[in-house]
Amino acid sequence: MDKNVFIEKFTGKLPKDIKAATPQQLHSALGETVMELFADKWNESRQQHLSKRRAAYLSMEFLVGRAVYNNLLVLGIYDDVEKAFSELELDLSSLEEIEDAALGNGGLGRLAACFLDSAATLGLPLDGYGIRYKYGLFKQSIVDGFQREDIDDWTRYGDPWSVRCDEDTVLIEYSGQTVKAVPYDMPVFGFRTENVGTLRLWQAEPVKEFDFDLFNKQNYLEASKEKIFAEDISRVLYPNDDTDDGKKLRLKQQYFFSCASLMDIIKKHKARYGTLDNLADCISVQLNDTHPVISIPELIRQLVDNEGYTFEAALAMAKKIFNYTNHTVMQEALEKWRTDLVEELLPRIYAIIIQINEALIADMYAAGVEKDKINRIKIIKKDLIHMADMACYASSHINGVAEIHTQILKDSVLADWFSLYPERFRNETNGITQRRWIALCNKELSALITELLGNDDWINDLDKLKELSKFADDENVLRRFIDIKQDKKQQLADFIKTHDDITVSPDSVFDIQIKRLHEYKRQLLNAFSILWIYYGIKDGSIQNFKPTAFIFGAKSAPGYRRAKAIIKFINEIGRVVSSDPDTRDLIKVVFVQNYNVSYAEKLVAGTDISEQISTAGTEASGTGNMKLMLNGAVTLGTYDGANIEIVQEAGEENNYIFGARVEDLEKIVPDYDSRKIFAEDAMVRKVVSSLIDGTVSDGGSGDFRELYMALLDGASWHAPDHYYLLGDLRDYVETKLRCIYDYSGDRISFAKKQWLNMCNAGKFSSDRTIADYAENIWGICR
């Protein structure tokens, strides 16, 4: 990049008094300048993608995060831009104030963003399709220990990294409503390549903005009704769906982006080839979980109703085009839609789903499949449409996202489908992009890696980190690593102080759990362990405890009462330990506000101990575990998801594994009695009783009592202690204490464990994952 050309273009977009420019003005000018400089490169890539077999990634979520720093890094212009800012007496770090594009809820959306990054870097023709939500997930604040939600208006200062493409607007039809889907394109720049991917996000807008006649008749709200109802579709990610209206809105969202994306794919294909007969030869569509599975009947609808194909030909084409990634083993998360809702909102789609179901049943009878199995796998069961079954029937490939997860799918969740189509099943262990998750967020450690390897080729080939294992016994290298870790902890502590007004000592152990707040991820187990340690210090059974900061980052879904109660409980424990002079200097509990991608970049770099404590068999993979490992943290976790592969790569001796395994739980669960553990283990009883004995307060909501009863007697659909917290608690505490004592007892030996985790993180690059998808599922190449 010519720095002088950059400065000329950049300053031309700023106010005359450059030094008075706000961070938002600087960001807008910078984004627009970079987009102009690399527009030709992007346009060339679009045409190249259309000229060969390509893939489309359909996802309800793309947790992109803040684009500016990552884009500068991967384009190779970060240092040049930083110098240009410096010459203008500006500070590039001021752009830390820029909002994240929080268009996702957690791992599912962040994975999608990592995949696009890797595909662009590998030169692969993969593009993403999703929804351009008006408001991100939500902005979280912690008030009196409770989560509070507010809108996340991430585009209120503009969005220089997106381009509106009105010429590609399409109409989406529901029963009684038609809306426009307007695309906004984001470039996905590859690292050291000319390839640029595209993330196309659809925004819902009304066909008729405003009814002047109604307004003239003083029906003011009615005059804007169409605009409001249309924009609701892309207003918020995952609207509350505990009523039929909420369910309809979610279904509208899923159909909205699926229909628009397929129309876009078909339009572009016809423009190039003039026929759809070869559509399956030229496009592969990945369905990221069940949210976009409605694409299957929608593609058939478009082929039959708009293009003149028979249902049979359209179904055969769909089976070749679609592939399905399963992200969960939990039945409640495998989407099911009531038939009456689908028929009311999308009558033509419902009619096609009936045809698909009938075709499935006919195929099964023709293959001699027993009736009981047919009844288990058919798409429509009573009054529910089972989206995972439709995906399994009409996809070329079905994949899980970690070795144990895929095996569970084969053995239980999708066992009937595996018995029918074993050749369709693959494992694709998730991955993360090393560009954002170490090269960008941990420049100090990246510089050491580059120095020791002699070059920075590792940023394109993460397996090269394995060569650094030879330094695991080099005390000089380990001390440099410790110094870097300490610097990152200091930076994190400074940010927590600025962002949350909480003081944390960087000299303490940083034990960190960052992920979506859900019962199966067991933040409550972590909270219980902290209380256990507190009681142990108080009664003298735990001595010489190293000062430890237990840091949480998580958001609960707004309507998830039990998860929100856990947030309050964690903060109450923080109040208890910090107000006690015996523990205030030993235990610090921090629940950071508004955890997002940008906060995660700071947290992963400063972590000593990575908490990955889901009940064995419940976490499909996890990707936070990979980010923390890559930045030199040990895993304190269960034998679950990708934790298993992490310890296979880095060695169980370099991590801290506890708890019942999947095979153990299969034997334990049938006769499991949480009240028996509660009765027999005095410390378990003391810790759990804190929910009701006045140790902590839920503000009179009754939520802590409900958590208590759920653990001991069950609640709603939960069996008692459904996620086996009480059963794993003692082993977890003992393993956590061993980990903390190892850190304080021999810092060099602990640093060796951390170093070897980083050295063996190569497998968990999303480059490896995407290369495998490209070769074995999508059939695409550079």
Side-chain angles (χ1 to χ4, degrees):
M1 182 185 77
D2 187 316
K3 191 172 63 171
N4 292 327
V5 172
F6 169 81
I7 289 176
E8 182 182 350
K9 285 180 175 289
F10 173 62
T11 55
K13 301 177 190 301
L14 289 172
K16 286 185 179 180
D17 186 359
I18 292 176
K19 293 180 184 176
T22 66
Q24 290 76 22
Q25 288 172 319
L26 293 173
H27 177 243
S28 181
L30 176 56
E32 290 172 15
T33 301
V34 172
M35 292 282 274
E36 284 179 20
L37 290 172
F38 292 91
D40 290 344
K41 184 177 178 178
W42 188 13
N43 288 331
E44 288 170 13
S45 292
R46 291 190 213 240
Q47 295 308 311
Q48 288 177 4
H49 284 201
L50 293 172
S51 69
K52 59 182 79 171
R53 179 171 171 82
R54 64 193 185 99
Y57 199 83
L58 270 60
S59 178
M60 278 286 282
E61 303 181 38
F62 284 93
L63 192 48
V64 178
R66 188 193 292 131
V68 56
Y69 294 129
N70 189 73
N71 284 348
L72 297 180
L73 174 85
V74 298
L75 287 168
I77 61 173
Y78 194 107
D79 292 343
D80 288 339
V81 171
E82 194 168 41
K83 287 173 185 173
F85 266 56
S86 181
E87 287 180 22
L88 295 167
E89 298 183 34
L90 299 171
D91 186 357
L92 188 59
S93 68
S94 68
L95 302 189
E96 287 277 356
E97 292 186 29
I98 301 307
E99 303 284 351
D100 277 30
L103 308 183
N105 188 32
L108 182 92
R110 186 54 232 169
L111 180 77
C114 284
F115 279 4
L116 294 186
D117 172 284
S118 286
T121 296
L122 295 173
L124 294 168
L126 172 72
D127 298 299
Y129 287 97
I131 297 177
R132 189 174 192 260
Y133 301 101
K134 164 71 174 172
Y135 302 117
L137 180 58
F138 58 81
K139 275 196 170 178
Q140 179 200 55
S141 58
I142 304 298
V143 180
D144 296 329
F146 291 99
Q147 171 176 291
R148 295 288 181 263
E149 304 96 23
D150 199 358
I151 61 168
D152 175 24
D153 192 1
W154 66 284
T155 61
R156 69 184 180 278
Y157 296 112
D159 176 20
W161 302 105
S162 291
V163 177
R164 182 180 170 105
C165 303
D166 282 296
E167 67 278 10
D168 287 337
T169 296
V170 295
L171 295 179
I172 310 297
E173 296 184 3
Y174 307 96
S175 180
Q177 183 184 23
T178 301
V179 302
K180 291 195 293 186
V182 182
Y184 284 72
D185 287 353
M186 281 186 178
V188 182
F189 296 110
F191 183 74
R192 292 179 181 162
T193 175
E194 294 301 306
N195 185 48
V196 183
T198 298
L199 171 56
R200 173 156 280 193
L201 299 175
W202 300 97
Q203 179 170 293
E205 297 181 4
V207 175
K208 187 176 182 180
E209 185 90 4
F210 183 73
D211 192 320
F212 189 74
D213 287 340
L214 283 173
F215 189 84
N216 237 10
K217 294 172 183 175
Q218 301 173 49
N219 292 333
Y220 303 126
L221 290 176
E222 192 73 14
S224 299
K225 181 177 70 172
E226 185 176 340
K227 176 179 172 66
I228 294 167
F229 285 170
E231 292 179 354
D232 278 348
I233 294 170
S234 59
R235 200 178 303 279
V236 176
L237 169 69
Y238 298 145
N240 193 345
D241 65 348
D242 57 4
T243 66
D244 276 1
D245 284 343
K247 289 180 174 64
K248 288 176 189 175
L249 184 54
R250 281 213 192 190
L251 181 57
K252 278 185 179 181
Q253 288 183 328
Q254 294 181 6
Y255 182 72
F256 170 76
F257 92 94
S258 297
C259 175
S261 302
L262 292 171
M263 291 174 77
D264 190 64
I265 288 167
I266 286 174
K267 173 187 171 183
K268 288 174 177 172
H269 185 88
K270 285 179 71 176
R272 178 164 289 270
Y273 296 102
T275 178
L276 294 178
D277 290 350
N278 63 340
L279 183 63
D281 298 326
C282 299
I283 187 75
S284 182
V285 176
Q286 192 69 34
L287 304 172
N288 192 30
D289 216 6
T290 50
H291 310 125
V293 168
I294 203 158
S295 296
I296 293 170
E298 172 57 20
L299 177 63
I300 293 171
R301 183 196 70 79
Q302 291 188 29
L303 293 174
V304 172
D305 294 1
N306 301 343
E307 308 295 339
Y309 286 86
T310 64
F311 169 80
E312 291 74 18
L315 176 60
M317 206 180 295
K319 287 180 178 180
K320 294 177 182 176
I321 289 170
F322 290 110
N323 307 286
Y324 165 53
T325 299
N326 174 283
H327 283 278
T328 183
V329 301
M330 298 182 193
Q331 283 298 324
E332 67 270 21
L334 295 173
E335 284 189 309
K336 306 166 188 69
W337 289 105
R338 287 204 333 257
T339 54
D340 62 316
L341 285 178
V342 178
E343 185 173 23
E344 178 187 346
L345 194 65
L346 302 164
R348 179 66 178 125
I349 292 299
Y350 180 59
I352 291 171
I353 292 173
I354 292 173
Q355 285 185 279
I356 297 171
N357 189 54
E358 290 300 314
L360 161 62
I361 293 169
D363 283 352
M364 294 303 106
Y365 272 107
V369 176
E370 60 271 23
K371 187 175 180 179
D372 284 349
K373 182 183 284 191
I374 295 173
N375 287 334
R376 290 196 301 269
I377 66 169
K378 64 185 181 181
I379 297 163
I380 302 174
K381 304 183 200 28
K382 296 183 179 178
D383 64 344
L384 293 177
I385 299 167
H386 292 244
M387 305 306 277
D389 289 309
M390 182 154 58
C392 290
Y393 175 59
S395 292
S396 289
H397 298 91
I398 302 155
N399 73 279
V401 291
E403 288 174 4
I404 187 174
H405 171 233
T406 301
Q407 195 59 50
I408 291 170
L409 294 182
K410 292 176 180 180
D411 292 343
S412 58
V413 180
L414 300 177
D416 286 329
W417 287 108
F418 179 65
S419 70
L420 292 167
Y421 302 118
E423 72 285 354
R424 293 187 185 180
F425 281 74
R426 290 191 56 82
N427 176 60
E428 302 295 350
T429 296
N430 283 343
I432 58 169
T433 166
Q434 61 266 31
R435 268 73 62 181
R436 184 180 289 267
W437 294 111
I438 186 169
L440 178 64
C441 74
N442 201 337
K443 291 185 177 180
E444 298 88 342
L445 184 54
S446 297
L448 177 60
I449 293 168
T450 296
E451 177 192 329
L452 294 175
L453 289 175
N455 57 62
D456 64 359
D457 292 349
W458 63 272
I459 302 176
N460 272 68
D461 183 2
L462 201 59
D463 285 332
K464 289 186 179 295
L465 293 189
K466 198 174 283 288
E467 296 174 27
L468 298 176
S469 297
K470 64 187 178 185
F471 295 105
D473 293 309
D474 187 323
E475 187 168 333
N476 288 329
V477 169
L478 292 179
R479 289 201 179 279
R480 291 179 67 188
F481 168 76
I482 291 169
D483 289 343
I484 289 169
K485 179 67 76 172
Q486 197 63 30
D487 287 345
K488 301 310 288 187
K489 290 168 71 172
Q490 181 67 63
Q491 291 169 22
L492 175 57
D494 291 344
F495 187 78
I496 291 172
K497 178 62 177 175
T498 301
H499 186 271
D500 297 280
D501 196 26
I502 299 172
T503 301
V504 183
S505 170
D507 294 325
S508 48
V509 182
F510 277 19
D511 177 301
I512 296 182
Q513 185 176 18
I514 44 175
K515 51 185 75 255
R516 181 166 55 92
L517 205 306
H518 195 287
E519 287 169 274
Y520 85 83
K521 295 178 184 289
R522 299 204 296 187
Q523 285 94 344
L524 182 57
L525 178 67
N526 194 349
F528 282 156
S529 77
I530 299 167
L531 203 54
W532 185 306
I533 292 169
Y534 168 73
Y535 289 141
I537 292 171
K538 293 289 289 179
D539 67 19
S541 60
I542 296 175
Q543 297 183 351
N544 303 315
F545 183 75
K546 169 76 176 178
T548 301
F550 298 99
I551 302 173
F552 297 81
K555 290 181 179 179
S556 162
Y560 192 171
R561 180 183 172 191
R562 221 172 275 158
K564 294 177 86 169
I566 292 168
I567 293 175
K568 173 61 172 172
F569 183 62
I570 291 167
N571 283 299
E572 280 292 293
I573 292 173
R575 179 189 57 77
V576 169
V577 300
S578 64
S579 60
D580 190 324
D582 292 338
T583 55
R584 65 165 59 111
D585 296 327
L586 293 176
I587 303 175
K588 188 77 176 183
V589 179
V590 179
F591 198 104
V592 303
Q593 300 181 97
N594 203 40
Y595 172 65
N596 57 17
V597 173
S598 294
Y599 215 142
E601 290 170 14
K602 296 170 176 61
L603 287 157
V604 299
T607 301
D608 293 310
I609 300 170
S610 163
E611 294 270 359
Q612 307 297 330
I613 59 175
S614 52
T615 315
T618 60
E619 183 71 86
S621 167
T623 53
N625 46 6
M626 303 169 188
K627 295 160 194 164
L628 290 152
M629 174 197 196
L630 179 58
N631 282 271
V634 300
T635 295
L636 168 60
T638 50
Y639 216 61
D640 191 32
N643 295 352
I644 297 171
E645 291 160 77
I646 284 174
V647 299
Q648 287 171 350
E649 294 295 306
E652 192 162 341
E653 69 278 8
N654 294 314
N655 292 284
Y656 295 83
I657 300 301
F658 73 92
R661 303 189 178 192
V662 170
E663 57 272 24
D664 299 324
L665 288 170
E666 288 173 353
K667 299 171 185 173
I668 292 169
V669 167
D671 300 314
Y672 178 56
D673 185 350
S674 59
R675 278 206 172 270
K676 186 172 189 293
I677 294 174
F678 180 80
E680 294 178 351
D681 191 317
M683 189 59 97
V684 169
R685 186 164 62 254
K686 185 172 184 178
V687 166
V688 175
S689 294
S690 69
L691 287 163
I692 62 166
D693 66 7
T695 301
V696 293
S697 170
D698 61 10
S701 66
D703 288 346
F704 288 177
R705 188 184 313 118
E706 204 273 342
L707 282 175
Y708 177 87
M709 299 309 296
L711 289 168
L712 297 177
D713 296 329
S716 63
W717 60 269
H718 275 209
D721 193 15
H722 182 70
Y723 293 112
Y724 200 62
L725 278 72
L726 275 57
D728 273 347
L729 181 53
R730 178 168 286 277
D731 189 17
Y732 173 48
V733 173
E734 290 171 355
T735 307
K736 175 177 281 193
L737 287 170
R738 176 164 56 88
C739 183
I740 293 170
Y741 282 130
D742 282 354
Y743 178 102
S744 56
D746 186 345
R747 187 68 186 90
I748 290 293
S749 294
F750 196 86
K752 178 180 178 179
K753 295 174 186 282
Q754 293 177 298
W755 181 262
L756 286 170
N757 271 277
M758 181 201 73
C759 294
N760 289 285
K763 175 180 179 177
F764 304 107
S765 169
S766 51
D767 295 356
R768 183 267 314 153
T769 315
I770 282 298
D772 204 60
Y773 271 101
E775 180 179 357
N776 297 308
I777 293 181
W778 302 330
I780 61 173
C781 57
R782 8 179 358 127

